Amino acid sequence: MRVTAAITALLIAVALSAWHADAATPTESSRSKAAAARVTPELQQALAKKNLEWGAPVFIRIFKKSKELEVWIRAADRRYVLFKTYPICTYSGGLGPKQKVGDWQAPEGFYRVAATQMNPYSNYHLSFDLGYPNTYDHAWQRTGSALMVHGNCVSIGCYAMGDEGIEEIYTLADAALRKGQSAFDVQVFPFRLTDEALASYKTNRWYNFWKELKQGYDAFEKTRVPPVIVVRNKHYVVQ
């Protein structure tokens, strides 16, 4: 039993060190250039069909239960249009937010990704750091770092999109940042927070937390513009 426990601890430590290595200082790499060369022509054609511009601001939503990542692109009228839904290859943990280092949970909440969080040198093909812990997470004394959306199909607290998926997602986000978007929002939900869906989880320990997330979900559903969300008194508030 002691040997097994020691081996397990060693494997976890090795895996975690690999994930933390993903927090390298980002610059453009030959890998990201090659990925962009592969996917850009097809992405540009798909954008044109929806009257969307290359490099227009992006917005991302993630849904754990259905294992989906949505990429939305800002249109000429400044409302966002769903460009593509990507299947999440895998994520670790279950429904509910990440709370501490080593709990293997993938985060839930409202995050922003700037150019400095893009990592073309990722150990998992390409990646970007969600920015966990954010202000809300800090307020609740949650710990952890280097929580990514990345390629490959393995995860310890991250969202693994597979290499093909991350190439498109990364390239679209990179193009938007290069064209002037200061940072893009990533909203991470346990599931689609409709009234009916949330009501079915009324006895869940995270029900009140999910009610707070629902404010952001509902605001975007109504306006198709990512809402400004702040943290006040340890709670998310939509401005």
Side-chain angles (χ1 to χ4, degrees):
M1 291 291 289
R2 291 179 181 176
V3 174
T4 301
I7 292 173
T8 300
L10 178 61
L11 290 173
I12 292 173
V14 170
L16 286 174
S17 67
W19 253 261
H20 285 286
D22 250 15
T25 301
T27 56
E28 191 172 30
S29 71
S30 58
R31 185 188 305 165
S32 62
K33 287 181 180 179
R38 277 192 294 273
V39 303
T40 295
E42 187 173 331
L43 287 174
Q44 289 179 327
Q45 290 177 12
L47 286 165
K49 288 180 180 178
K50 294 192 175 187
N51 295 315
L52 299 171
E53 292 186 4
W54 179 255
V58 303
F59 167 62
I60 290 175
R61 297 200 302 183
I62 292 173
F63 299 97
K64 277 185 174 179
K65 189 173 182 179
S66 57
K67 298 177 71 174
E68 294 175 308
L69 182 151
E70 297 177 342
V71 175
W72 295 72
I73 307 291
R74 195 175 75 182
D77 65 359
R78 306 189 74 82
R79 288 162 59 89
Y80 282 68
V81 174
L82 179 60
F83 174 65
K84 189 170 180 178
T85 301
Y86 295 87
I88 297 172
C89 188
T90 191
Y91 67 88
S92 58
L95 301 185
K98 182 174 183 64
Q99 299 182 78
K100 61 183 179 180
V101 173
D103 66 3
W104 289 35
Q105 275 288 107
E108 293 175 11
F110 302 116
Y111 298 92
R112 283 180 64 77
V113 179
T116 54
Q117 291 160 251
M118 305 291 284
N119 186 6
Y121 292 104
S122 172
N123 291 317
Y124 303 92
H125 195 49
L126 298 167
S127 70
F128 57 82
D129 191 318
L130 283 170
Y132 172 95
N134 62 12
T135 302
Y136 180 96
D137 300 319
H138 280 300
W140 289 94
Q141 298 183 320
R142 295 175 179 171
T143 58
S145 61
L147 279 301
M148 305 280 175
V149 174
H150 60 61
N152 211 308
C153 195
V154 292
S155 170
I156 298 180
C158 298
Y159 292 96
M161 303 304 303
D163 288 354
E164 291 185 7
I166 197 61
E167 285 192 356
E168 292 194 5
I169 297 163
Y170 186 99
T171 299
L172 287 165
D174 183 65
L177 293 169
R178 288 177 183 277
K179 200 166 181 180
Q181 186 174 15
S182 60
F184 59 91
D185 291 314
V186 182
Q187 296 187 348
V188 188
F189 300 111
F191 45 85
R192 297 182 186 278
L193 290 172
T194 63
D195 292 340
E196 296 77 13
L198 185 58
S200 68
Y201 285 88
K202 200 161 189 177
T203 60
N204 190 284
R205 63 179 294 201
W206 297 115
Y207 175 75
N208 288 329
F209 171 66
W210 292 338
K211 280 179 67 177
E212 288 191 29
L213 297 190
K214 183 171 168 53
Q215 299 174 76
Y217 177 88
D218 287 345
F220 181 72
E221 287 291 299
K222 181 179 180 179
T223 66
R224 288 293 188 255
V225 175
V228 175
I229 298 170
V230 299
V231 178
R232 293 179 185 156
N233 299 318
K234 300 174 69 172
H235 296 286
Y236 283 122
V237 178
V238 176
Q239 288 191 322

